[in-house]
Amino acid sequence: MKILIKNAHIIDPLQGIDGIGDILVEEGKIKGIEQKSRRAEEQKKTPPQPPLDKGGIKRGVDSELRTIDATGLYVLPGLIDMHTHLREPGYEYKETIKTGTAAAVKGGFTTVCAMPNTNPVNDNSSVTDFIIRKAIQEGACAVYPIGAITKGQKGEELAEMGIMYAEGCVAFSDDGNPVMNSLIMRRALEYSRAFKVPIISHCEDTNLSEGGVMNEGLLSLTLGLKGIPSEAEEIMICRDLALAELTGGKLHIAHVSTEGSVRIIREAKKRGINITAETCPHYFSITENTVEGYNTNAKVNPPLRTQKDVDAIKQGLKDGTIDVIATDHAPHHRDEKLREFDHAPSGISGLETALGLSLNLVHEDVLTMRQLVEKMAVNPANILGLNKETLKVGSDADVVIVDVNKEYKVEAEGFISKGKNTPFEGLVLKGMPVITICKGKIYE
Amino acid sequence: MKLSSKDLLGIKELTKDEIILILDTASGFKGVLKRNIKKVPALRGKTAVNLFFEPSTRTRTSFELAEKRLSLDVLNLSVTTSSVVKGESLIDTALNVQALGADFMVIRHSSSGAAHLLSKNVNASVINAGDGINEHPTQALLDAFTIKEKIGKIEGLKIAIVGDILHSRVAKSNIYLLTKFGAEVRLIGPPTLVPQELEKLGVKVFHDMDSGLDGVNVVMALRIQMERQGKGFFPSTLEYSKNWGLTSERLFKADKDAIVMHPGPINRGVEVASDVADGPRSVILEQVTNGLAVRMAVMYLLAGVRE
């Protein structure tokens, strides 16, 4: 099966492509890419270039050829979500590898990284192996497991990182449970250097955030809900930065949600500390006000913050302080969210709204399309060492075709994910993936 | 005039006019309570279920008696929150109660927003009898009723609320009500229990009793929950009472006609000294009586909304 994508606006930051062209896919790989015209402003600067890949694309009738006319559409390297909760094994009622990856593909993702807070926890190579096998059998897209930093995510004893790394884990995280013991975190950052893998830190001082269910402020007081101050996140980021500096470990800060965190990370990067950071669409799209009426679909950890935090997150994305947009896709069962706010679990089902929400940043001129591709494909691949970020000839044919102008209403009932828990119900988004191709397989 | 909602979830959700309607209606019921025969047939044939997920004596008995005075059939369900966590969800419990034919559900729950959750899922009138650290609207209504009865008005009064404001649903409901009526509300207590942020609601925060009580017309003392001790909110009840306990000496700072209120139950000698609680300015037991009239008024008016 061959696929010819014609007249697309191709963006591939790695090859420096940002213009109209064609792509040929054969046997799951990119077989050819041909740029016909650059963006108008660049054309003025440089003379027309010869085709990038002469003769790569054979024209003519071919029964095995599927031609996609992508006129007016963008074609990007498949998106990579480095923060996904697939819930399998153990919580199949919330999500499975099958449904989670299908949701990913619908959202334009061709690679997801599965967080280890499953049951049992992915803290040993048997679980890692199970996830990888299951993903090969049932997954719609590529799945890379993230192993636990500590056994049982208890923060006490290092998990067998080396063995899990050999089995296929691409990073380590106790996501959901911060490693509160500074000595253990130091060891994790030190030890992981042997395998050059990142430690992904869920930054939360759980003493400071104890019992908290939303952002701390006037709204938490008037709703009578226990607040989590921004400082619970910022204090831990400061600690982890200090430990990263001490150890030279590869630190990646998960789901940045506050203005202070952005400032702290910006300063650390200026000082040359080897860190990267991610945020999630909900942290630059909505505020704590969404919680009003005790809306459990807006309960997430870290909590939704305020407008000044939203603005700072956008600025952090724009100036490169924040490297990655990840979903923190956290599906839950309907019954679990239909409860008292205190008792409902935290999390947002994010795979199917992430691209639409992130494209708002392009519409608002916060990011260019190229920067968006960097945040959602190139940078995650680089941080995790995946060769998945480009449309270069010979790469896996992981491609997403995006209509950036198509408007649609978010309807959770239509989600492929088992998790219908979204605070964006009814919101009109502009821009959606129309076709996702994973290793040459077309999903539309 | 009618109330606009079938439920009473909080003072936040009420307009000033609705509050006045409730207080005026309560005056009528207070008259009933003074009669020889204290029962009216107003809601005969209807059923009230008191869903108490938290231990409560005074609020539950007050509601129960108010319901009986209105000729309602009454069902009391005391459920410990822990058994709910293990088993049946709040919504399922409520739907079962509704299937029994409940017209009113009075709910007391340890989670803020529990009454709101119920109101979205049942047709019965939901009355919030205290949800977590959010609101306790009937307490604020009975407090307002008592203040109006004793002083004649709320507007322009200086009213101090002393104690654990952070964890007090009574304080929250009172703040919303009293500011709606144009009172000057002062919150007094240690900084750990009186967040400065609350000033955005139009109240004044004090950490010193003498300056906070200066010239006030009403002092509301709140119960200090013993379990806050050892959690870092204050070092000991002894230290708390030395700094923020309401004593007769401190009461001299207040207006000479000031009244002393307390939602109960009292920790004598901790937040309020015995001689103050039992003294001539105390209206604490009158609050209890007025609670009946106010709760009757609320149920009577809510029944009118559903008619």
Side-chain angles (χ1 to χ4, degrees), chain A residues 289-309:
Chain A
N289 294 338
T290 318
V291 172
E292 271 185 280
Y294 303 94
N295 177 7
T296 53
N297 284 329
K299 183 176 177 184
V300 60
N301 189 20
L304 300 172
R305 305 285 186 181
T306 64
Q307 191 57 47
K308 77 175 170 53
D309 297 297

Side-chain angles (χ1 to χ4, degrees), chain B residues 10-60:
Chain B
I11 301 295
K12 267 196 296 272
E13 287 85 355
L14 293 178
T15 64
K16 188 178 170 184
D17 285 343
E18 288 178 309
I19 294 168
I20 291 171
L21 175 66
I22 294 169
L23 299 181
D24 289 348
T25 310
S27 294
F29 282 114
K30 184 146 188 195
V32 171
L33 293 173
K34 284 178 184 157
R35 288 185 207 157
N36 196 19
I37 293 173
K38 300 178 172 61
K39 195 162 177 152
V40 289
L43 299 180
R44 194 166 59 193
K46 294 192 182 294
T47 306
V49 179
N50 300 320
L51 281 167
F52 278 66
F53 294 88
E54 240 186 17
S56 159
T57 313
R58 88 193 40 228
T59 304
R60 196 187 58 71

Side-chain angles (χ1 to χ4, degrees), chain A residues 96-110:
Chain A
T96 62
I97 289 170
K98 189 176 180 180
T99 56
T101 53
V105 164
K106 189 181 161 210
F109 294 92
T110 55

Side-chain angles (χ1 to χ4, degrees), chain A residues 210 217-218 220-226 293-295 337-343, chain B residues 12 90-91 109 111-113 116-117 120 133-134 166 172 176 195 197-198 200-201:
Chain A
E210 191 193 17
L218 185 63
S220 68
L221 281 170
T222 55
L223 287 173
L225 294 173
K226 188 137 191 284
Y294 303 94
N295 177 7
K337 285 287 193 180
L338 261 177
R339 300 187 59 175
E340 301 89 323
F341 198 89
D342 285 339
H343 299 313
Chain B
K12 267 196 296 272
L90 175 61
I91 293 174
H109 198 286
S111 290
S112 300
H116 301 71
L117 180 66
K120 282 179 222 155
I133 53 173
N134 177 41
L166 180 63
K172 306 273 174 57
Y176 304 134
E197 197 79 3
L198 286 171
K200 289 183 186 158
L201 295 175

